[in-house]
């Protein structure tokens, strides 16, 4: 076995171990029934032997996983649990395989992007180690495998964003592999449409239930459809619009073959797209349809015969959706377009300012919301007074957080996949459904310029697996119409220069991590940072506070010999017992009332040595399953010590 094959097996085995630990955190959640927890290992086992079946099941379940999982625990990241279960099985499957050929260009780009993300998060772990100490950091990491990962990702800043992007890229890898080897693209596309249909039906059902309270439910339902912006699965309605647009376009192709079967799904998905009220999705859809029509007309020498009735029906569906969505988007009570554009222009300027501080590797994966306050201007505060927000542009967010290097690798992944899809779009043997799916994926990407659907688990995972399946399907096509196509194909599928460049990048990243971490440690200020807590809220009694769940961490300067923390129960009916840990060691247990503030005072045994900050962890005890997510109110920590601060 070659050293490359050994390294490949080691990496996939390490990935399997990581996903296994993360999946175990679901089993440690006592609010989820054992039978439900057992489903996820079962999905992993299926994915070991039949990755195509696991990927298809994931495509159906991811869009509705949050809605289903609310029955047991609404705070748990259910779409990610589905993705982790599949990726566990897929990683084991890959570790058992002997590669028949060297990695192609898309695989190399995916691996390079993952390496950049891992290095960025590694820097953050080094910073935590250097500021709060190894013991406290080890305690946080241990908590990931004991129930906290899928509920807030253990509260470690950056972990959520890093894992979502890594998992998405691995889903793209799996989709490409499955499409090339098992020819399962049609099943994956159908699964995506089925999942979107179920998600859309649940959206409309909730709106209909609300309309039943009115005297004329049908009129109230139509009124809500035209005035309400709603999505029951997650709060980002713009991300929902991007997702439903991506799923709608393949259905238009499916109508051609079985209009009686796919017309209802098309209508449901179109109505949920309307319900999202996303103007970005509307514009992206129109641009994509126009571009696809031009590409197909100019890129194909012969078009297969198509029934006039089917062609007219598909065209009418597209035109009707565009007209209806355009009208409702203009009539809906939205932020005026001029203000929305000014807000995005401000965020673009801020993104480039962030990039200027760390141009090569960025400010760190997932750090955009945390550092936004340092760059906000009075203009942005007046237009959009949200202190913790994303860039409203996925490309700029990647650029700010991962730098020029990260955006380059990420853009290479998207670019290679899109180039393959364009080849699929022009190929004689491609179907109308495949062309519709390609249009949906490209439209989804266009919405990144005005939103960030990749920062929401369900639409992000759905995009990546469909992206991978289409890219893999295009790679499996036998184009070869002329020598130019064959040359382009050979350059893409045997990218020797890309493998050498990726290897050099990995070495550079490994060498840069301690250097970057040392710089960040010197500049880090964790005094007002919290893990597992909300943004600051103004209290009616003058005490500012942050909301926390069952477990949270705040940081105090290491010089402190006395720590004072105002605490109060966020529940109206009961107080709470809270266990306090300092640097991972039990320090005290305090009873927190719900009717007034209790100032908890801790005498620190000895000042922290060798680090600038110490971790103060608060764990709520005797938590009943029916309690809300927000349990504890935490005021500003007041340290007292030998220094005058």
């Amino acid at each position: 076995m070659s050293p490359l094959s050994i390294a490949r097996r080691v990496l996939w085995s390490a990935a399997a171990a990581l996903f296994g630990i993360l999946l175990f955190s679901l089993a440690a959640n006592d609010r989820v029934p054992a039978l439900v927890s057992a489903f996820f290992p079962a999905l992993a086992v299926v994915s070991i032997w039949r990755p195509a079946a696991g990927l298809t099941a994931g495509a159906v379940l991811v869009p509705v996983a949050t809605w289903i999982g609310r029955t047991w625990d609404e705070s748990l990241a259910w779409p990610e649990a589905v993705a982790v279960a599949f990726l566990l099985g897929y990683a084991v499957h890959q570790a058992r395989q002997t590669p028949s050929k060297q990695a192609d260009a898309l695989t190399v780009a995916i691996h390079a992007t993952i390496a950049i993300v891992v290095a960025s998060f590694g820097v953050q772990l080094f910073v935590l180690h250097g500021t709060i100490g190894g013991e406290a950091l080890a305690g946080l990491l241990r908590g990931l495998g004991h129930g906290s990962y899928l509920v807030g990702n253990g509260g470690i800043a950056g972990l959520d964003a890093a894992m979502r992007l890594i998992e998405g890229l691995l889903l793209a890898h799996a989709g490409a592999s499955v499409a090339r080897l098992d020819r399962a693209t049609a099943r994956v596309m159908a699964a995506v449409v089925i999942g979107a249909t179920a998600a859309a039906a649940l959206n409309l059902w909730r709106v209909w239930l609300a309309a039943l309270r009115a005297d004329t439910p049908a009129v109230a339902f139509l009124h809500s459809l035209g005035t309400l912006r709603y999505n029951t699965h997650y709060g980002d309605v713009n991300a929902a619009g991007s997702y439903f647009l991506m799923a709608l376009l393949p259905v238009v192709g499916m109508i051609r073959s079985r209009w009686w079967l796919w017309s209802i799904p098309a209508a449901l998905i179109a109505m949920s797209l309307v319900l999202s009220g996303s103007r970005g999705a509307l514009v992206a859809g129109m641009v994509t349809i126009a571009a696809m029509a031009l590409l197909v007309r100019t890129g194909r020498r012969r078009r297969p015969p198509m029934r006039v009735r089917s062609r007219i029906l598909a065209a009418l569906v597209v035109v009707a959706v565009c007209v209806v969505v355009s009208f409702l988007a203009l009539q809906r009570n939205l932020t005026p377009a001029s203000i929305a554009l000014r807000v995005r222009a401000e965020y673009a300027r801020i993104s480039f300012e962030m990039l200027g501080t760390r141009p090569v590797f960025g400010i760190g994966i997932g750090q955009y919301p945390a550092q936004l306050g340092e760059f906000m201007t009075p203009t942005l505060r007046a237009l959009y007074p949200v202190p913790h927000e994303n860039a409203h542009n996925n490309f700029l967010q990647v650029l700010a957080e991962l730098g020029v290097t990260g955006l380059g690798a990420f853009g290479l992944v998207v670019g290679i996949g899109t180039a393959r899809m364009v080849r699929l779009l022009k190929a004689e043997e491609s179907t109308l459904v495949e062309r519709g799916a390609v249009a949906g994926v490209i439209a989804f990407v266009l919405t990144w310029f005005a939103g960030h659907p990749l920062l929401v688990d369900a639409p992000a995972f759905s995009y990546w697996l469909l992206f991978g399946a289409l890219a893999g399907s295009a790679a499996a096509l036998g184009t070869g119409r002329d020598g130019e196509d064959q040359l382009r194909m050979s350059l893409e599928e045997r990218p020797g220069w890309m493998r050498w460049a990726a290897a050099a990048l990995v070495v550079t990243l490994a060498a840069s991590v301690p250097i970057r971490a040392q710089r960040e440690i010197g500049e880090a200020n964790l005094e007002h940072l919290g893990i597992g807590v909300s943004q600051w809220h103004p209290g009616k009694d003058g005490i500012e506070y942050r909301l926390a769940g069952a477990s949270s961490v705040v940081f105090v300067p290491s010089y402190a010999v006395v720590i004072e923390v105002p605490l109060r129960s966020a529940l109206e009916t009961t107080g709470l017992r809270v266990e306090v840990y300092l640097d991972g060691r039990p320090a005290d247990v305090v009873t927190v009332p719900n009717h007034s503030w209790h100032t908890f005072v801790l005498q620190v045994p000895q000042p922290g040595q060798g680090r600038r900050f110490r971790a103060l962890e608060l764990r709520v005890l005797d938590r009943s399953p029916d309690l809300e997510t927000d349990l504890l109110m935490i005021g500003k920590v007041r340290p007292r010590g030998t220094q005058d601060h």
Side-chain angles (χ1 to χ4, degrees):
M1 186 181 296
S2 67
L4 188 61
S5 297
I6 295 175
R8 179 183 179 278
R9 289 197 172 185
V10 169
L11 289 175
W12 280 113
S13 299
L18 171 63
F19 290 124
I21 292 172
L22 300 184
L23 193 61
F24 175 77
S25 72
L26 177 64
N29 190 322
D30 56 2
R31 302 174 70 175
V32 179
L35 186 61
V36 176
S37 298
F39 166 79
F40 295 94
L43 177 60
V45 171
V46 170
S47 302
I48 293 174
W49 304 107
R50 293 289 184 271
L55 191 68
T56 303
V60 174
L61 290 174
V62 160
V64 295
T66 298
W67 189 87
I68 297 172
R70 286 173 184 164
T71 304
W72 303 287
D73 189 347
E74 63 181 13
S75 66
L76 195 140
W78 291 99
E80 187 177 15
V82 174
V84 165
F86 166 75
L87 289 173
L88 169 59
Y90 180 70
V92 174
H93 174 82
Q94 290 293 105
R96 296 173 63 246
Q97 301 298 309
T98 300
S100 57
K101 62 177 183 178
Q102 292 181 319
D104 62 10
L106 181 61
T107 300
V108 174
I110 287 174
H111 290 168
T113 308
I114 289 176
I116 292 171
V117 175
V118 170
S120 181
F121 182 65
V123 170
Q124 297 179 35
L125 291 182
F126 271 93
V127 171
L128 281 176
H129 183 277
T131 52
I132 68 175
E135 189 173 351
L137 176 60
L140 293 177
L141 294 177
R142 281 194 300 270
L144 297 178
H146 291 83
S148 65
Y149 173 73
L150 290 170
V151 183
N153 284 319
I156 299 179
L159 179 60
D160 179 65
M163 289 303 300
R164 184 185 300 111
L165 186 51
I166 291 172
E167 289 158 359
L169 290 167
L170 289 178
L171 285 173
H173 185 284
S177 174
V178 164
R180 281 197 305 264
L181 300 179
D182 295 346
R183 304 300 175 95
T185 308
R187 277 183 287 162
V188 172
M189 289 189 297
V192 169
V193 170
I194 292 170
T197 302
L202 291 170
N203 263 344
L204 299 171
W205 176 247
R206 292 295 297 269
V207 175
W208 174 250
L209 290 179
L212 288 176
R213 302 173 185 174
D215 295 334
T216 54
V219 174
F221 176 79
L222 293 175
H223 181 266
S224 297
L225 199 64
T227 59
L228 184 67
R229 299 194 70 190
Y230 177 73
N231 180 56
T232 189
H233 306 283
Y234 39 88
D236 191 335
V237 289
N238 288 322
S242 301
Y243 167 71
F244 286 118
L245 173 64
M246 180 180 69
L248 176 63
L249 296 179
V251 186
V252 175
M254 294 175 178
I255 290 176
R256 176 192 174 188
S257 58
R258 296 181 180 179
W259 66 268
W260 52 270
L261 178 62
W262 296 109
S263 295
I264 292 178
L268 294 175
I269 295 173
M271 284 192 286
S272 265
L273 173 59
V274 170
L275 192 60
S276 73
S278 173
R279 292 175 294 198
L282 166 66
V283 174
M286 291 182 172
V287 171
T288 302
I289 291 170
M292 293 304 102
L294 182 63
L295 281 172
V296 171
R297 176 171 296 181
T298 59
R300 301 184 65 179
R301 298 176 182 175
R302 299 185 310 274
R303 299 185 65 180
M306 183 179 183
R307 294 180 181 178
V308 175
R309 185 178 62 181
S310 300
R311 188 182 303 171
I312 293 175
L313 180 60
L316 287 176
V317 169
V318 174
V319 171
V321 169
C322 290
V323 170
V324 171
V325 174
S326 301
F327 174 77
L328 294 177
L330 293 174
Q331 296 297 317
R332 200 173 304 239
N333 183 21
L334 295 168
T335 303
S338 59
I339 294 180
L341 290 174
R342 289 178 61 192
V343 167
R344 281 162 174 77
E346 284 292 312
Y347 275 111
R349 184 189 58 76
I350 287 173
S351 300
F352 283 108
E353 285 189 8
M354 289 181 177
L355 177 67
T357 65
R358 304 287 190 277
V360 179
F361 296 114
I363 62 174
I365 186 71
Q367 295 301 308
Y368 196 105
Q371 297 195 24
L372 177 62
E374 301 177 18
F375 296 88
M376 284 188 74
T377 62
T379 300
L380 183 58
R381 284 192 174 91
L383 292 172
Y384 197 76
V386 180
H388 294 80
E389 184 56 281
N390 294 292
H392 291 73
N393 184 314
N394 254 132
F395 292 108
L396 290 182
Q397 182 125 356
V398 172
L399 179 63
E401 293 186 348
L402 297 178
V404 175
T405 305
L407 182 63
F410 177 81
L412 200 58
V413 172
V414 177
I416 291 173
T418 303
R420 290 185 180 181
M421 291 179 206
V422 172
R423 188 166 66 239
L424 177 64
L425 190 72
K426 296 179 178 181
E428 297 291 343
E429 54 266 55
S430 65
T431 66
L432 187 60
V433 179
E434 288 176 323
R435 296 197 295 275
V438 169
V441 166
I442 293 177
F444 188 89
V445 173
L446 290 179
T447 65
W448 298 356
F449 287 100
H452 31 68
L454 285 188
L455 300 185
V456 182
D457 286 351
F461 295 153
S462 296
Y463 162 77
W464 284 117
L465 62 87
L466 183 57
F467 167 89
L470 290 170
S473 180
L477 281 176
T479 52
R481 291 196 308 261
D482 50 43
E484 184 181 351
D485 275 345
Q486 290 289 356
L487 176 62
R488 183 170 62 249
M489 196 68 177
S490 65
L491 288 174
E492 180 181 309
E493 300 305 324
R494 292 189 290 274
W497 68 270
M498 284 191 63
R499 287 193 292 273
W500 283 107
L505 176 64
V506 170
V507 173
T508 303
L509 289 170
S512 73
V513 167
I515 300 173
R516 292 157 59 190
Q518 196 62 38
R519 176 183 177 181
E520 297 296 335
I521 290 173
E523 300 179 5
N525 182 9
L526 305 183
E527 189 165 355
H528 299 296
L529 178 68
I531 293 177
V533 297
S534 70
Q535 62 187 23
W536 288 102
H537 296 278
K540 295 181 180 179
D541 48 10
I543 297 180
E544 288 187 303
Y545 66 91
R546 293 179 287 187
L547 292 168
S551 178
S552 57
V553 178
V554 294
F555 299 100
V556 295
S558 59
Y559 66 77
V561 295
V562 176
I563 300 170
E564 297 180 356
V565 189
L567 300 174
R568 184 172 178 175
S569 171
L571 305 177
E572 296 181 357
T573 57
T574 183
L576 297 172
R577 286 198 312 133
V578 178
E579 194 170 18
V580 182
Y581 289 77
L582 182 64
D583 294 335
R585 298 179 180 178
D588 203 348
V589 178
V590 59
T591 300
V592 179
N594 65 326
H595 52 81
S596 62
W597 287 96
H598 170 76
T599 300
F600 168 70
V601 180
L602 177 65
Q603 297 284 339
V604 180
Q606 58 182 6
Q609 300 295 330
R611 55 186 182 274
R612 295 172 56 212
F613 295 92
R614 309 183 73 172
L616 189 71
E617 183 177 3
L618 305 171
R619 300 180 187 176
V620 177
L621 302 176
D622 301 329
R623 182 167 61 102
S624 174
D626 59 348
L627 290 182
E628 301 139 26
T629 302
D630 295 329
L631 304 174
L632 187 64
M633 301 163 64
I634 307 174
K636 288 187 177 181
V637 178
R638 297 190 291 266
R640 301 205 307 265
T642 58
Q643 299 183 26
D644 184 16
H645 284 262

